[in-house]
């Protein structure tokens, strides 16, 4: 049965939006760290998206996407009241959350939204949550208010210094770790280069570091192995063994290469989508 | 005494010529027409004790349906098949009849057996445009099942569909939960269009819907719901038919290079995602010019023949034993060879190699010789020391089998599994270690055939009906 979009919020116009979906059966089960798989319409591709928030009482789940390929471009054309053909979840192992003291949650790009659900989980477990979030400039920074609502510390970095500290999240993270040796865990969600840099930043401090991997998936339930990653020399499936793994053990080079496996076809798909939309506009 | 019939040869199956079909996804076998079907059906001796029926895991009344067909009574033939088989158009296409009904046919002792599978397919296809329910009951829609007796099936592959068909025909309300967005399980994501058109699978499922079965897609057992929750919501029995959907890899160097795929991924992209019609459909497939498929089973054959149809210049089947030991059906291997697939037998994969960008460039193989038979009864492959070769390829498909998918099993406390991780069931009833939870198909046996899964489904369904309906069953 199709899933209705209850609300849409344009976070970065044309680039990133937040959708609140009417999915009580997923909301009831969704835990921080879970993802879902959706297919926008007939003939569409299945893509995984991390659940950014879930409200079991309202029966809703929230997703945030960056418009990157055909599927997210199509998603961006939908409005509140429209429906997504297939939504399946919650998938993946939830984040391991227990009360450990201070947890630093690092987010970059749309990864901030995914990180938000994890940070909320740590906050609810009684941890002191430090959010470290970054973007190119202040207009591209997501979820500052949402995180500020419950995080006692929100450290912001921007490339141009238009908000917070000028520089990268890893610089803010390094200083925070250096000033406080009691941090029990660092969680990072974002682009692969950022997660890799976070893992390298925390390594000298010996702090447990968890990253949420966004490998290519088809079914999302362990059937195909498209999402396989090497962690500590062992092959793991991001969809059922993850998506979260020990950042100090992940082979990021391999992950980066594998993420590009279908780059040519992804471009063809997106170009065709824009052409079709163009024709539709001309007709209309 | 059976009257001796004149020696009429087995009616050949019309097929698309190999040179044409190797580049399209249309069905290879074209099917009999009525006169061919009647000619073939007339070869049946109508044995007093038909061995063919014993050879069928779902006990299709072969003698009767073939008898009706010999007289041209297709309707009666259909009713006879459908009485025990929910998926005749599927079985007529993908069953290994040579090991089952046809393997038991008395005519096969001296000559060629009756082409029972082809006849079953003909009868099922002849009903394509009609409502199964109307044909069987004279009503356009079957009576709604009694809602007070409810059974859930997890997975919508052949075993679950058989359970659903059997129970709904007896008035039990069955809900089938499928994790993917399309129904059919392996019939949909695994078996290619050119062997089993998806429209045929859709038709069989539509017939089950007409008979009152409820289907729910995008619901993942163990994630969206659990088995205890199904009982809390009023189900009296649960059937686990989730298949063996965890791909095995070779665990050799280079296996994560771009261009190395599990057969599950390769076939799921093409079959479920319709990647052969990219970019009309969004799911992409990796284009390989020189392809190596590793394995010797039916899934390896499907992968190799799919690669040809997607435009590969060269497709090699790399198998560590000899042609004689291949587990694939003879017919599948025959079709693959006709279409131009190259066999590289007695080659064990050692390592994949790639370029600096992480793309596959080739495969190093170890040449083997055959040793003594192993536990499977097949000759054990033994490496010939120092004898290796390099097979250049830009796409490799690993088709060396599957294991039990842990998603549902790990979320079901108390479910007993064997040493290999498959579900343990009572041989007679199909019941698991949890009362009123049954299982069947690949999640019990490991990778096997559609018809064995259906046989297991039928066995469990009989027991469920006996318990829930008592003497009404």
């Amino acid at each position: 049965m199709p899933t209705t979009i209850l609300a849409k919020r344009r976070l970065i116009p044309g680039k990133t939006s937040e959708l609140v979906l009417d999915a009580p059966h997923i909301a009831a089960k969704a835990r921080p760290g879970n993802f879902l798989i959706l297919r926008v319409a007939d003939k569409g591709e299945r893509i995984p998206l991390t659940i950014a928030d879930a409200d079991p009482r309202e029966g809703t789940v929230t997703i945030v996407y960056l418009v990157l390929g055909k599927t997210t471009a199509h998603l961006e054309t939908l409005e509140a009241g429209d429906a997504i053909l297939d939504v399946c979840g919650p998938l993946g192992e939830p984040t391991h959350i227990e009360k450990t003291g201070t947890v630093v949650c690092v987010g970059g790009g749309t990864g901030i939204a995914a990180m938000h659900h994890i940070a909320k989980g740590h906050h609810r477990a009684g941890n002191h949550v430090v959010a470290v979030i970054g973007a190119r400039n202040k207009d591209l920074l997501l979820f500052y208010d949402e995180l500020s609502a419950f995080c006692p510390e929100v450290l912001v970095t921007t490339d141009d210094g238009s908000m917070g500290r000028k520089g990268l999240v890893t610089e803010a993270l390094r200083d925070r770790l250096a000033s406080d040796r009691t941090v029990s865990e660092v969680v990072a969600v974002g682009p692969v280069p950022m997660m890799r840099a976070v893992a390298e930043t925390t390594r000298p401090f010996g702090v447990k570091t968890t990253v949420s991997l966004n490998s290519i998936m088809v079914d999302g339930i362990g059937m195909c192995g498209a999402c396989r990653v090497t962690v500590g020399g062992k092959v793991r499936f991001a969809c059922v063994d993850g998506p979260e793994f020990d950042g100090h053990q992940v082979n990021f080079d391999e992950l980066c290469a594998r993420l590009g496996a279908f780059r040519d076809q992804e471009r063809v798909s997106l170009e065709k989508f824009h052409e079709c939309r163009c024709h539709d506009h001309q007709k209309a | 005494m059976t009257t001796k019939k004149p020696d009429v040869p087995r009616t050949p199956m019309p097929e698309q010529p190999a040179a044409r079909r190797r580049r399209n996804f249309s069905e290879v076998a074209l099917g009999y027409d009525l006169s061919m079907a009647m000619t073939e059906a007339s070869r049946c001796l109508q044995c007093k004790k038909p061995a063919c029926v014993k050879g069928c895991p779902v006990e299709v009344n072969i003698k009767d349906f073939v008898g009706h067909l010999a007289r041209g009574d297709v309707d009666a033939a259909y009713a006879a098949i459908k009485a025990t088989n929910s998926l005749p158009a599927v079985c007529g296409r993908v069953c290994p009849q040579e090991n089952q009904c046809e393997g038991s046919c008395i005519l096969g002792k001296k000559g060629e057996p009756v082409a029972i599978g082809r006849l079953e397919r003909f009868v099922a296809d002849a009903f394509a445009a009609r409502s199964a329910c109307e044909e069987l009951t004279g009503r356009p829609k079957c009576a709604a099942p009694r809602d007070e007796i409810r059974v859930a099936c997890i997975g919508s592959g052949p075993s679950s569909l058989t359970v659903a068909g059997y129970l709904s025909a007896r008035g039990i309300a069955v809900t089938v939960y499928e994790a993917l967005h399309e129904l059919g399980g392996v019939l949909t994501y695994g078996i290619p269009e050119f062997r089993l058109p998806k429209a045929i699978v859709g038709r069989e499922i539509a017939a089950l819907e007409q008979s009152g079965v409820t289907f729910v897609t995008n619901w993942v057992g163990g994630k969206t719901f659990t088995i205890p929750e199904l009982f809390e919501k009023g189900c009296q029995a649960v059937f686990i038919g989730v298949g063996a959907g965890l791909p095995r890899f070779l665990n050799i160097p280079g296996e994560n290079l771009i261009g190395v795929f599990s057969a599950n991924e390769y076939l799921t992209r093409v079959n479920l995602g319709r990647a052969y019609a990219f970019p009309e459909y969004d799911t992409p497939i990796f284009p390989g010019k020189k392809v190596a498929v590793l394995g010797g089973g039916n899934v390896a054959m499907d992968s190799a023949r799919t690669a040809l149809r997607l435009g590969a210049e060269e497709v090699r089947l790399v198998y560590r034993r000899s042609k004689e030991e291949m587990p694939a059906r003879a017919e599948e291997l025959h079709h693959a060879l006709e279409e131009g697939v190259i066999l590289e037998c007695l080659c064990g994969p050692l390592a994949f190699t790639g370029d600096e960008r992480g793309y596959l460039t080739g495969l190093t193989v170890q040449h083997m010789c055959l040793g003594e038979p192993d536990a499977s009864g097949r000759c054990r492959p033994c490496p010939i020391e120092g004898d290796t070769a390099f097979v250049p390829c830009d796409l490799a498909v690993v088709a060396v089998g599957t294991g039990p998918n842990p998603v549902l099993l790990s979320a079901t406390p108390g479910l007993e599994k064997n040493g290999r991780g498959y579900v343990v069931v009572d041989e007679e009833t199909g019941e698991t270690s949890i009362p009123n939870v049954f299982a069947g198909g690949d999640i019990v046996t490991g990778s096997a055939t559609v018809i064995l899964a259906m046989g297991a489904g039928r066995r469990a369904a009989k027991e469920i009906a006996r318990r829930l309906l008592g003497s009404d069953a």
Side-chain angles (χ1 to χ4, degrees), chain A residues 138-187:
Chain A
K138 73 173 183 353
D139 296 329
L140 302 179
L141 190 75
L142 307 179
F143 272 57
Y144 175 77
D145 294 338
E146 287 82 350
L147 286 163
S148 301
F150 61 84
C151 295
E153 298 176 55
V154 181
L155 309 179
V156 175
T157 67
T158 48
D159 292 1
D160 64 354
S162 54
M163 186 173 171
R165 172 179 177 161
K166 183 172 192 285
L168 301 171
V169 284
T170 43
E171 293 160 13
L173 172 66
R174 185 179 297 119
D175 290 354
R176 184 66 182 74
L177 290 176
S179 71
D180 172 11
R181 294 300 182 120
T182 67
V183 171
S184 56
E185 185 179 356
V186 172
V187 181

Side-chain angles (χ1 to χ4, degrees), chain B residues 285-297:
Chain B
I285 189 72
F286 196 79
K289 289 292 167 210
K290 286 191 189 319
V291 181
V293 176
L294 296 99

